[in-house]
């Protein structure tokens, strides 16, 4: 699906404004999990990698693609797992044991 | 509906998932949903992508993904003190992936002669951003894990050198846009970007790494955006922009809380003076035993615990929890004053205390606790140093002058736990420890607090 | 410049989220001027009207277009003027006369 | 660069202007910039559009624009009490414009046989939204200007009728999508939408119009979005979405502050019981003279002024300002307690008080003032009724039960200015006026306050 430069910039502009507003409202308590959550989200790069690895057009691109898939899957998995791990701790605050 | 359309629909559905994931981080009770939302978004995005007809074989994808999962799971199991390193590593991987995709696309399009100048430009952008994030992230992780010297490595004209490298890389990129025939220049761009990443981090002190990491976070986001431009993919652009914004905002927050300018963090070679302190050793400090401390704490009506990096190093949070329980049981009002940059990551202390099951409504932010400090009977400083250093208020010449601090010194009595008189991250001496109302408890935080708890329960007897 | 449905929806989604976040943060003091400001902004419809009135393809469309231009210009002008008028009042608060 | 490209660039630049305009409304000191930003955005958007090559003549554009300006300027000069009507009118115009563009596009594409089913669908959406907003806005304006009965006009099965009309319109739209040949159906859709707009507003009481108006605000926004889909224009979509969101959020805020559900506002025929009150006339109320009031106020240490719709009706804000000056000059601490839905628009009171040069830092929000009320010597209620009606706290059966109110009754003495014992918008009696610590000052707010000020200055003498 074609996406011309100006539309792409338009999307970028909107998303950037949205990001700034959202992050400013993130609770100070959660800045560490926030960092790992954004890591996890940035592993969205995987969708670019998948296509290149899957096209298997030539060895070079396949190898590069596969490496990229590997790298971003690592981020994806570890990012979400560790964020979840941290947030669970906060979640349990609801009913403090003491 | 063509597979592309279905994919596009998945992408359209994935974006709001990511947005909601981030919005729900605004408070702990909604935050749990964040991960679910984020994962849903990923599943949609990946699922949609796998439908793409260009994909002729899933073999390499599957193998690579399996390997990624295999590495990802242990990486998520690291102790919380290692979270900064992990984050740095993950920035590196992110940049790495973006860079590789860019490189692959370059050669694919070069081969098929489809390398329009627009494509060339965005690829150059993606590759430069990706590569410098990759090496930069690795360096940062290395420094945080203290595998690489945490000291700022400085040499004359280093900023110029880095600057020249970067402009060179960008310049070559520009040249390729004009004259794509010069494909020999492309690998050079890659090399330059990689080196630049290293040089960018070398001169920065280990303690500034957290700030650096969140800058890298925004670079990683931006390289995803660039990839979005290359692959003409809205979702990549949107998600990348969200990350970029997040990293950016966090770095600004950190710099503000340290009262330092962004440029000072990136080029200030902060902490190169790590040795400046020692001189003051001579001066006398009052030190106390665990029993004295227990005495003081149990008889206090209000105690404010001020944790710092030392608590993280000592992994003392669970002992702190025991102390908190014992004291509250004895009707002492215990609060935790958390400085925005206490520790080595934003929110570092909050996570550790949360890990130790300390209710987060007992955590008070700096601005809310400071007015109360003069009424507080005991301020218990656990491995915190710079964030309670009065020099920030009083001493114009101090490198941390103007940094907002927690006014521990204003409380009736200060109990400070640390192993020695060594300075903290800022490498400067701390008047607080010499004050008349301050008692030092020397030793490893975990150890010391353990003793105090014993002493308390010993007294309280049960 | 072609804009396919899905991209259009994408833009809408981002802008809607952004709108919700921004408006929630508008000061209660300014809710009345906010209403007139959004009126003014919604007069953006004028850009659609202009083209139709300008194409002068046939009488009907020209008349409709012209009417649309008229209606939205009214909104544009009155919307911004009155918003400005109201905000001036608040602005002067900086240095109360008393 | 083609004119289209230049136009697109202008649109790309215009969008952030609108975003900033709205963001700067977050506080009064940045708000002034908002208009500048919004205007810049408009200039860019219009400028870019005028470059479009499709435009063969500027004649009609110029004439229409001139007429628009001619009408717009006086419309911006209306007294602030007429702002609600003006807003309603402007919604109508917005919807009208969107509808007309949709209609024009329909016939253009029909003629050129370019009416794809997607285009047909979005046109139907645009026209329906546009037309119902047009008539709805006019109705709302009429009710607010009391040109049309402000009573809810209700009849059996009215909601069903309206619902049927709407579904019919949408159904026909759907049919046209399937079978565009049936072009005779298009005018019917228009007609149905126009009628639906009227029926939507008829059963709603005049006092609910402000809420209705901000709903219409979001419809107007959405019709702009629909136009954006028709014309494949990103800027229209983005700007429309921003408006839509704004109207939506404001309506929700209002409903919350009135403790009423959205459906109750839109279909509840609220205020049809306007006559229920009178009965209570018999009961005795203490009334006071301007001199008594002056006495009380000058001897008070703290006065909280609670303005309501009556102050707007009486245009009493400038007199209020005089009173404020006189009292503060005499060392009385005067605050203004502004209820979120006092008056007939969100923020209504704030604008009026601002118009009278009352520093906005003297305006306190409901939640902040209520805790203080028991310490307040005198609560001066100026033409406010429902927002200070204790029934909201006490009387389960009251239509406003649960609506958060300003606790005027908790202050030592209450001075209430109104012309009679007539109820306010909610049409219910108000215990406050019969309370022992309440003194009534009957008369037009402007008049009464004028007298009080005279009395005060008379005493204070100068
Ligand atoms: N949080 C962030 O995001 C962030 C980012 C960048 C920079 N920083 C900087 O990091 C600093 C954080 O301040 P801080 O007060 O939390 O930490 P700090 O100033 O670095 O001081 C930590 C103190 O803990 C003591 N300590 C270390 N290990 C210990 C152990 N095992 N047991 C007991 N004490 C131990 C150390 O003294 P001994 O060696 O004598 O024991 C040291 O003085 C600030 O200067 C901030 O600007 C923070
Ligand atoms: N603000 C919004 O956005 C909004 C939106 C929708 C609905 N509403 C509703 O509007 C109501 C607002 O409450 P409110 O207390 O501000 O107004 P209110 O409840 O409508 O009462 C206004 C009072 O002012 C008196 N009054 C009218 N003209 C006067 C004059 N010239 N001089 C002196 N007094 C005069 C009237 O009594 P007399 O006739 O005896 O003088 C009336 O009791 C709430 O019920 C709210 O739910 C507000």
């Amino acid at each position: 699906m074609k996406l011309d430069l100006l539309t792409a910039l338009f999307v970028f502009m909107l998303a950037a404004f949205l990001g700034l507003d959202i992050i400013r409202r993130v609770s100070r308590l959660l800045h560490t999990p926030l960092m790992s959550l954004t890591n996890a989200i940035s592993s969205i790069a995987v969708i670019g990698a998948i296509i290149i690895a899957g096209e298997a057009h030539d060895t070079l691109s396949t190898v590069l693609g596969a490496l990229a898939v590997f790298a971003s899957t690592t981020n994806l998995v570890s990012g979400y797992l560790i964020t979840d791990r941290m947030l669970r701790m906060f979640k349990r605050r609801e009913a403090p044991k003491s | 509906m063509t597979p592309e359309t279905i994919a596009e629909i998945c992408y359209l559905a994935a974006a709001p998932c990511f947005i909601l994931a981030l919005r729900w981080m605004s408070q702990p009770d909604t935050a749990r949903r964040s991960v679910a939302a984020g994962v849903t978004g990923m599943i949609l995005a990946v699922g949609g992508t796998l439908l793409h007809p260009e994909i002729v074989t899933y073999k390499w994808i599957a193998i690579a993904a399996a390997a990624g999962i295999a590495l990802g799971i242990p990486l998520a199991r690291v102790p919380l003190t290692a979270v900064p390193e992990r984050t740095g590593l993950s920035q590196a991987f992110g940049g790495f992936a973006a860079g590789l995709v860019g490189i692959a696309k370059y050669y694919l399009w070069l081969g098929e002669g489809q390398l329009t100048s627009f494509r060339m430009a965005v690829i150059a952008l993606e590759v430069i951003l990706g590569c410098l994030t990759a090496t930069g992230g690795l360096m940062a992780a290395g420094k945080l894990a203290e595998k690489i010297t945490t000291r700022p490595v400085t040499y004359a004209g280093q900023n110029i050198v880095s600057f020249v490298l970067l402009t060179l890389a960008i310049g070559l990129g520009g040249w390729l846009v004009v004259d794509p025939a010069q494909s020999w220049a492309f690998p050079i761009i890659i090399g330059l970007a990689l080196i630049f990443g290293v040089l960018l981090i070398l001169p920065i002190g280990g303690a500034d790494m957290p700030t650096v990491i969140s800058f890298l976070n925004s670079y990683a986001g931006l390289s995803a955006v660039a990839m979005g431009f290359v692959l003409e993919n809205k979702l990549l652009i949107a998600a990348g922009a969200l990350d970029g914004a997040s990293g950016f905002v966090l770095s600004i927050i950190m710099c503000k809380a340290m009262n330092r300018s962004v440029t000072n963090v990136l080029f200030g070679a902060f902490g190169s003076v790590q040795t400046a302190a020692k001189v003051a050793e001579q001066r006398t400090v009052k030190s106390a035993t665990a029993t004295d401390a227990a005495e003081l704490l149990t008889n206090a009506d209000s105690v404010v615990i001020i944790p710092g990096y030392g608590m993280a190093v000592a992994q003392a949070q669970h002992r702190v929890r025991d102390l908190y329980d014992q004291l509250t049981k004895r009707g002492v009002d215990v609060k935790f004053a958390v400085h925005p940059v206490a520790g080595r990551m934003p929110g570092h202390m909050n996570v550790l205390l949360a890990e130790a099951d300390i209710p987060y409504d007992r955590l008070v932010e700096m601005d809310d606790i400071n007015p109360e400090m003069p009424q507080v009977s005991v301020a218990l400083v656990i491995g915190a140093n710079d964030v309670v250093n009065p020099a920030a208020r009083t001493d114009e010449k101090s490198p941390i002058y103007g940094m907002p601090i927690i006014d521990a010194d204003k409380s009736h009595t200060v109990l400070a736990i640390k192993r020695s008189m060594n300075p903290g991250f800022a490498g400067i001496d701390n008047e607080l420890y010499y004050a008349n109302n301050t008692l030092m408890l020397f030793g490893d935080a975990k150890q010391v607090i353990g003793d105090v708890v014993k002493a308390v329960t010993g007294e309280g007897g049960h």
Side-chain angles (χ1 to χ4, degrees), chain A, chain B:
Chain A
M1 206 155 286
K2 275 288 289 100
L3 180 74
D4 62 87
L5 172 61
L6 287 166
T7 311
L9 285 172
F10 204 91
V11 169
F12 174 66
M13 184 270 299
L14 288 175
F17 268 112
L18 186 58
L20 292 176
D21 280 349
I22 292 179
I23 302 300
R24 274 218 205 76
R25 295 204 347 263
V26 169
S27 154
R28 274 238 167 116
L29 286 171
L30 301 177
H31 276 170
T32 299
L34 172 65
M35 281 181 115
S36 52
L37 180 64
T38 49
N39 289 149
I41 292 179
S42 69
S43 70
I44 185 70
V46 73
I47 68 180
I50 284 177
I51 296 192
I52 292 177
E55 279 177 338
H57 179 284
D58 55 61
T59 330
L60 174 67
S61 71
T62 318
V63 172
L64 294 178
L67 281 175
V69 171
F70 162 73
S72 32
T73 317
T74 315
N75 273 353
L76 198 166
V77 174
S78 66
Y80 282 117
L81 285 179
I82 199 162
T83 310
D84 186 56
R85 199 177 124 207
M86 288 194 244
L87 290 178
R88 269 177 205 286
M89 298 171 181
F90 283 95
K91 192 59 190 160
R92 273 197 270 97
R93 292 306 118 271
E94 288 315 299
K97 288 217 194 84
S98 69
Chain B
M1 263 200 306
T2 68
E4 281 92 346
T5 321
I6 301 176
E8 282 295 324
I9 295 173
C10 294
Y11 295 161
L12 179 61
C17 296
F18 295 139
I19 292 171
L20 288 173
L22 290 174
R23 289 179 104 220
W24 282 331
M25 293 294 279
S26 58
Q27 35 170 307
D29 16 338
T30 54
R32 268 317 297 296
R33 282 185 250 147
S34 296
V35 174
V39 171
T40 320
M42 274 305 163
I43 294 173
L44 283 165
V46 172
T49 311
L50 290 173
L51 297 173
H52 270 282
E54 298 93 321
I55 301 179
V56 295
T57 162
Y58 291 100
K59 186 157 111 252
W60 303 118
I61 301 173
I63 295 172
I69 295 169
L71 176 56
I73 290 172
L75 259 183
R77 296 253 174 81
V78 298
L80 285 177
T81 35
V83 167
E85 295 89 295
R86 195 211 69 85
T87 314
L89 210 58
S90 136
Q91 314 295 14
F93 277 42
F96 187 60
L100 292 177
V101 171
I103 297 169
K105 268 296 180 189
Y106 172 80
Y107 287 110
L108 283 172
W109 279 332
L110 190 68
E112 301 160 357
Q114 298 179 329
L115 197 64
T116 66
S117 53
F118 167 66
R119 283 176 166 179
M120 185 60 234
V122 283
I123 284 186
L125 191 69
E126 175 183 0
V127 170
I128 293 176
L129 272 167
C131 293
L132 76 85
T133 313
T135 45
L138 285 177
M139 288 292 297
K143 285 199 172 216
L144 282 161
E146 279 155 15
K147 300 246 182 327
I148 306 173
T149 170
T150 63
R151 286 295 162 76
V153 180
T154 51
Y155 54 87
Q158 114 195 97
N159 292 343
I160 292 98
V161 175
S162 328
F163 178 76
V164 169
L165 282 180
L166 186 61
T167 29
L168 211 63
I170 297 171
L172 283 173
W175 189 16
L176 278 176
V177 175
V178 189
D179 171 1
Q182 313 298 334
S183 50
W184 56 266
F186 192 71
I188 302 183
I189 297 181
I190 302 173
L192 288 172
L194 290 171
I195 301 170
F196 177 75
V198 177
L199 295 189
L200 187 69
I201 307 305
L202 261 185
I204 305 178
D208 270 338
M209 282 308 128
T211 328
V212 168
I213 278 190
S214 53
F215 274 112
L216 291 172
N217 196 336
S218 55
Y219 298 158
L222 289 179
S223 51
V225 172
M227 190 196 287
F229 280 90
V230 172
L231 306 175
E232 296 181 353
N233 181 310
K234 296 181 280 296
L235 181 58
L236 276 169
I237 296 176
L242 290 174
D243 294 342
S246 163
F248 180 73
V249 171
L250 282 184
S251 350
I252 300 304
I253 292 179
M254 274 193 260
C255 291
K256 279 228 184 78
M258 293 190 280
N259 187 42
R260 296 178 42 206
S261 72
V262 173
T263 45
N264 173 289
V265 169
L266 292 185
F267 308 109
F270 198 74
S272 38
V273 290
Q274 211 73 288
T275 41
K278 293 290 171 291
V279 284
E281 287 300 352
Q282 281 52 296
R283 296 173 52 187
T284 56
V285 299
K286 297 203 219 67
S287 89
T289 69
T291 346
D292 310 336
E295 184 79 36
L296 263 165
L297 290 167
T298 40
N299 300 332
D301 13 330
S302 64
V303 170
V304 169
I305 298 182
I306 304 163
Y309 178 59
M311 184 183 82
V313 179
Q315 282 292 297
Q317 59 270 27
H318 296 283
R319 293 286 161 73
V320 172
R321 163 74 191 203
D322 300 337
L323 184 60
Y324 165 79
D325 288 345
Q326 291 304 329
L327 292 179
T328 33
K329 203 188 292 159
R330 285 167 176 69
V332 183
D333 167 61
V334 184
K335 289 210 196 75
F336 292 81
V338 179
H339 190 285
V341 293
R344 289 291 183 269
M345 291 183 299
H348 198 167
M349 295 298 123
N350 302 305
V351 186
L352 293 175
L353 295 173
E355 184 194 16
D357 278 347
I358 287 154
Y360 59 68
D361 47 35
R362 303 307 297 162
L363 312 188
V364 190
E365 282 192 12
M366 173 169 61
D367 307 341
D368 305 329
I369 198 76
N370 274 344
E372 297 180 22
M373 288 314 286
Q375 287 79 47
V376 170
S377 346
V378 181
L380 175 58
V381 179
I382 304 177
N385 189 337
D386 300 341
V387 299
V388 292
N389 190 337
R393 285 201 316 267
T394 54
D395 173 5
E396 309 262 345
K397 293 170 306 317
S398 163
I400 64 166
Y401 180 72
M403 156 171 164
I405 63 155
I406 295 172
D407 303 334
D409 53 327
K410 295 196 175 157
S411 66
H412 300 212
T413 319
V414 179
L415 281 171
I417 303 178
K418 66 200 299 282
R419 298 163 307 182
S420 67
M421 291 307 292
N422 293 347
F425 144 71
I428 56 167
D429 209 19
N430 191 338
E431 281 303 321
L432 178 69
Y433 303 140
Y434 305 107
N436 297 335
N437 62 336
T438 303
L439 292 171
M440 301 297 294
L441 292 163
F442 288 107
D444 174 82
K446 191 169 186 173
Q447 186 57 46
V448 173
I449 296 173
D451 301 343
V452 175
V453 173
K454 279 201 208 68
V456 169
T457 44
E459 285 171 19
H462 55 113

PDB file of all heavy atoms in Angstrom, chain A residues 4 6-7 9-11 13-14 17 20-21 24:
ATOM      1  N   ASP A   4       2.736   8.105   0.637  1.00  0.00           N
ATOM      2  CA  ASP A   4       3.633   9.154   0.148  1.00  0.00           C
ATOM      3  C   ASP A   4       4.281   9.879   1.319  1.00  0.00           C
ATOM      4  O   ASP A   4       3.802   9.859   2.449  1.00  0.00           O
ATOM      5  CB  ASP A   4       2.846  10.140  -0.715  1.00  0.00           C
ATOM      6  CG  ASP A   4       1.759  10.813   0.088  1.00  0.00           C
ATOM      7  OD1 ASP A   4       2.052  11.842   0.709  1.00  0.00           O
ATOM      8  OD2 ASP A   4       0.628  10.270   0.123  1.00  0.00           O
ATOM      9  N   LEU A   6       4.517  12.920   2.309  1.00  0.00           N
ATOM     10  CA  LEU A   6       3.790  13.912   3.108  1.00  0.00           C
ATOM     11  C   LEU A   6       2.823  13.247   4.069  1.00  0.00           C
ATOM     12  O   LEU A   6       2.731  13.625   5.230  1.00  0.00           O
ATOM     13  CB  LEU A   6       3.064  14.890   2.169  1.00  0.00           C
ATOM     14  CG  LEU A   6       4.033  15.852   1.480  1.00  0.00           C
ATOM     15  CD1 LEU A   6       3.369  16.558   0.328  1.00  0.00           C
ATOM     16  CD2 LEU A   6       4.583  16.843   2.481  1.00  0.00           C
ATOM     17  N   THR A   7       2.145  12.209   3.579  1.00  0.00           N
ATOM     18  CA  THR A   7       1.245  11.497   4.494  1.00  0.00           C
ATOM     19  C   THR A   7       2.051  10.871   5.617  1.00  0.00           C
ATOM     20  O   THR A   7       1.682  10.955   6.788  1.00  0.00           O
ATOM     21  CB  THR A   7       0.478  10.410   3.724  1.00  0.00           C
ATOM     22  OG1 THR A   7      -0.062  10.982   2.546  1.00  0.00           O
ATOM     23  CG2 THR A   7      -0.629   9.836   4.568  1.00  0.00           C
ATOM     24  N   LEU A   9       4.833  11.876   6.870  1.00  0.00           N
ATOM     25  CA  LEU A   9       5.210  12.933   7.808  1.00  0.00           C
ATOM     26  C   LEU A   9       4.020  13.323   8.676  1.00  0.00           C
ATOM     27  O   LEU A   9       4.140  13.549   9.879  1.00  0.00           O
ATOM     28  CB  LEU A   9       5.727  14.159   7.043  1.00  0.00           C
ATOM     29  CG  LEU A   9       7.125  14.024   6.455  1.00  0.00           C
ATOM     30  CD1 LEU A   9       7.448  15.214   5.569  1.00  0.00           C
ATOM     31  CD2 LEU A   9       8.161  13.896   7.562  1.00  0.00           C
ATOM     32  N   PHE A  10       2.854  13.363   8.053  1.00  0.00           N
ATOM     33  CA  PHE A  10       1.636  13.732   8.786  1.00  0.00           C
ATOM     34  C   PHE A  10       1.414  12.750   9.928  1.00  0.00           C
ATOM     35  O   PHE A  10       1.217  13.143  11.084  1.00  0.00           O
ATOM     36  CB  PHE A  10       0.447  13.707   7.819  1.00  0.00           C
ATOM     37  CG  PHE A  10      -0.691  14.575   8.237  1.00  0.00           C
ATOM     38  CD1 PHE A  10      -0.765  15.887   7.804  1.00  0.00           C
ATOM     39  CD2 PHE A  10      -1.698  14.082   9.042  1.00  0.00           C
ATOM     40  CE1 PHE A  10      -1.818  16.698   8.179  1.00  0.00           C
ATOM     41  CE2 PHE A  10      -2.761  14.890   9.421  1.00  0.00           C
ATOM     42  CZ  PHE A  10      -2.819  16.191   9.000  1.00  0.00           C
ATOM     43  N   VAL A  11       1.498  11.466   9.605  1.00  0.00           N
ATOM     44  CA  VAL A  11       1.328  10.436  10.630  1.00  0.00           C
ATOM     45  C   VAL A  11       2.380  10.618  11.722  1.00  0.00           C
ATOM     46  O   VAL A  11       2.075  10.610  12.920  1.00  0.00           O
ATOM     47  CB  VAL A  11       1.434   9.034  10.000  1.00  0.00           C
ATOM     48  CG1 VAL A  11       1.521   7.966  11.072  1.00  0.00           C
ATOM     49  CG2 VAL A  11       0.259   8.781   9.095  1.00  0.00           C
ATOM     50  N   MET A  13       3.972  13.280  12.628  1.00  0.00           N
ATOM     51  CA  MET A  13       3.692  14.481  13.414  1.00  0.00           C
ATOM     52  C   MET A  13       2.632  14.185  14.470  1.00  0.00           C
ATOM     53  O   MET A  13       2.827  14.429  15.660  1.00  0.00           O
ATOM     54  CB  MET A  13       3.252  15.580  12.441  1.00  0.00           C
ATOM     55  CG  MET A  13       3.011  16.931  13.033  1.00  0.00           C
ATOM     56  SD  MET A  13       1.309  17.090  13.546  1.00  0.00           S
ATOM     57  CE  MET A  13       0.489  16.875  11.966  1.00  0.00           C
ATOM     58  N   LEU A  14       1.532  13.581  14.029  1.00  0.00           N
ATOM     59  CA  LEU A  14       0.453  13.277  14.983  1.00  0.00           C
ATOM     60  C   LEU A  14       0.946  12.347  16.086  1.00  0.00           C
ATOM     61  O   LEU A  14       0.758  12.605  17.276  1.00  0.00           O
ATOM     62  CB  LEU A  14      -0.727  12.648  14.249  1.00  0.00           C
ATOM     63  CG  LEU A  14      -1.550  13.560  13.361  1.00  0.00           C
ATOM     64  CD1 LEU A  14      -2.604  12.753  12.617  1.00  0.00           C
ATOM     65  CD2 LEU A  14      -2.217  14.655  14.183  1.00  0.00           C
ATOM     66  N   PHE A  17       3.276  14.131  18.649  1.00  0.00           N
ATOM     67  CA  PHE A  17       2.520  14.953  19.605  1.00  0.00           C
ATOM     68  C   PHE A  17       1.835  14.053  20.623  1.00  0.00           C
ATOM     69  O   PHE A  17       1.909  14.270  21.834  1.00  0.00           O
ATOM     70  CB  PHE A  17       1.459  15.790  18.881  1.00  0.00           C
ATOM     71  CG  PHE A  17       1.934  17.148  18.475  1.00  0.00           C
ATOM     72  CD1 PHE A  17       2.090  17.469  17.143  1.00  0.00           C
ATOM     73  CD2 PHE A  17       2.223  18.110  19.430  1.00  0.00           C
ATOM     74  CE1 PHE A  17       2.525  18.727  16.754  1.00  0.00           C
ATOM     75  CE2 PHE A  17       2.648  19.366  19.055  1.00  0.00           C
ATOM     76  CZ  PHE A  17       2.807  19.680  17.724  1.00  0.00           C
ATOM     77  N   LEU A  20       4.314  12.636  23.149  1.00  0.00           N
ATOM     78  CA  LEU A  20       4.746  13.610  24.151  1.00  0.00           C
ATOM     79  C   LEU A  20       3.675  13.775  25.219  1.00  0.00           C
ATOM     80  O   LEU A  20       3.956  13.735  26.413  1.00  0.00           O
ATOM     81  CB  LEU A  20       5.036  14.958  23.479  1.00  0.00           C
ATOM     82  CG  LEU A  20       6.249  14.970  22.554  1.00  0.00           C
ATOM     83  CD1 LEU A  20       6.383  16.322  21.870  1.00  0.00           C
ATOM     84  CD2 LEU A  20       7.515  14.650  23.322  1.00  0.00           C
ATOM     85  N   ASP A  21       2.411  13.929  24.783  1.00  0.00           N
ATOM     86  CA  ASP A  21       1.341  14.131  25.764  1.00  0.00           C
ATOM     87  C   ASP A  21       1.176  12.917  26.652  1.00  0.00           C
ATOM     88  O   ASP A  21       1.025  13.036  27.871  1.00  0.00           O
ATOM     89  CB  ASP A  21       0.014  14.435  25.053  1.00  0.00           C
ATOM     90  CG  ASP A  21      -0.058  15.888  24.623  1.00  0.00           C
ATOM     91  OD1 ASP A  21       0.822  16.659  25.059  1.00  0.00           O
ATOM     92  OD2 ASP A  21      -0.967  16.243  23.857  1.00  0.00           O
ATOM     93  N   ARG A  24       4.171  12.343  29.205  1.00  0.00           N
ATOM     94  CA  ARG A  24       4.186  13.317  30.301  1.00  0.00           C
ATOM     95  C   ARG A  24       3.246  12.900  31.414  1.00  0.00           C
ATOM     96  O   ARG A  24       3.444  13.230  32.566  1.00  0.00           O
ATOM     97  CB  ARG A  24       3.769  14.700  29.797  1.00  0.00           C
ATOM     98  CG  ARG A  24       4.928  15.464  29.250  1.00  0.00           C
ATOM     99  CD  ARG A  24       4.852  16.946  29.597  1.00  0.00           C
ATOM    100  NE  ARG A  24       5.617  17.667  28.589  1.00  0.00           N
ATOM    101  CZ  ARG A  24       5.144  17.874  27.369  1.00  0.00           C
ATOM    102  NH1 ARG A  24       3.923  17.484  27.050  1.00  0.00           N
ATOM    103  NH2 ARG A  24       5.876  18.487  26.476  1.00  0.00           N
TER     104      ARG A  24
END
